[in-house]
Amino acid sequence: MSEWRRKLQQFMIGRYGADQLTHFLNACVVVLLAVNLFARTRILYSLAVVLLIVAYYRMFSRNISARFQENERYMRYRFQVTECLKKWRFRADQARRFHIYKCPGCGQKIRIPRGKGKISIHCPKCHTDFIKRS
């Protein structure tokens, strides 16, 4: 077993190897093949094979700078998507736990916990008092 490991290590010297984009492509291949078990279309199977070829091409590539730049672009896009999802999840959590009212005097948003009944709200900005149901 160690002989195979040594040969693989020698083969991979100077090659790019696996990164986050390669892992994502491999996960897409697995999902496409799983969906293809039920859908039975050649398009999904062909797409899975193409993605697998691209993933292995990236792993065995010797053009490290190009593969690094591709991975950086993927990571930037992934960051944007995950941040958008985090904001959506935070807003949904806040909407579940709090009411957000606007002050009738100045328009300041005020966050009030839900389930407290009818309460008097004091605006911290313009010091207006108003009554709302939480």
Side-chain angles (χ1 to χ4, degrees):
M1 186 67 167
S2 64
E3 181 66 24
W4 281 99
R5 188 177 199 171
R6 187 185 61 77
K7 285 183 181 181
L8 180 63
Q9 285 176 344
Q10 269 185 327
F11 176 73
M12 290 302 289
I13 291 174
R15 298 183 191 275
Y16 188 65
D19 59 1
Q20 292 90 354
L21 178 56
T22 304
H23 294 304
F24 175 74
L25 291 174
N26 287 334
C28 288
V29 167
V30 170
V31 168
L32 286 173
L33 291 177
V35 169
N36 193 41
L37 286 174
F38 301 107
R40 299 278 184 191
T41 63
R42 288 188 178 180
I43 295 172
L44 290 178
Y45 182 75
S46 301
L47 184 59
V49 169
V50 167
L51 288 178
L52 190 63
I53 289 170
V54 169
Y56 275 99
Y57 172 76
R58 293 188 79 256
M59 282 176 51
F60 297 137
S61 174
R62 290 183 184 256
N63 191 353
I64 293 173
S65 62
R67 302 297 83 82
F68 180 78
Q69 289 175 355
E70 291 168 358
N71 189 52
E72 285 295 312
R73 280 194 302 268
Y74 164 72
M75 292 302 289
R76 278 195 300 274
Y77 179 72
R78 180 179 168 183
F79 177 76
Q80 291 172 353
V81 170
T82 56
E83 286 300 309
C84 182
L85 290 175
K86 283 180 187 176
K87 284 180 187 177
W88 180 79
R89 188 181 309 154
F90 177 76
R91 287 182 186 149
D93 182 50
Q94 292 293 308
R96 185 176 47 85
R97 297 189 323 177
F98 299 100
H99 277 290
I100 298 177
Y101 294 113
K102 283 192 176 182
C103 173
C106 65
Q108 173 73 32
K109 290 182 180 179
I110 303 169
R111 188 176 75 165
I112 304 299
R114 288 185 181 265
K116 301 294 182 188
K118 193 179 254 190
I119 58 173
S120 175
I121 302 170
H122 179 77
C123 177
K125 188 174 180 183
C126 68
H127 306 290
T128 303
D129 291 327
F130 56 100
I131 297 174
K132 289 285 184 174
R133 184 175 177 87
S134 69

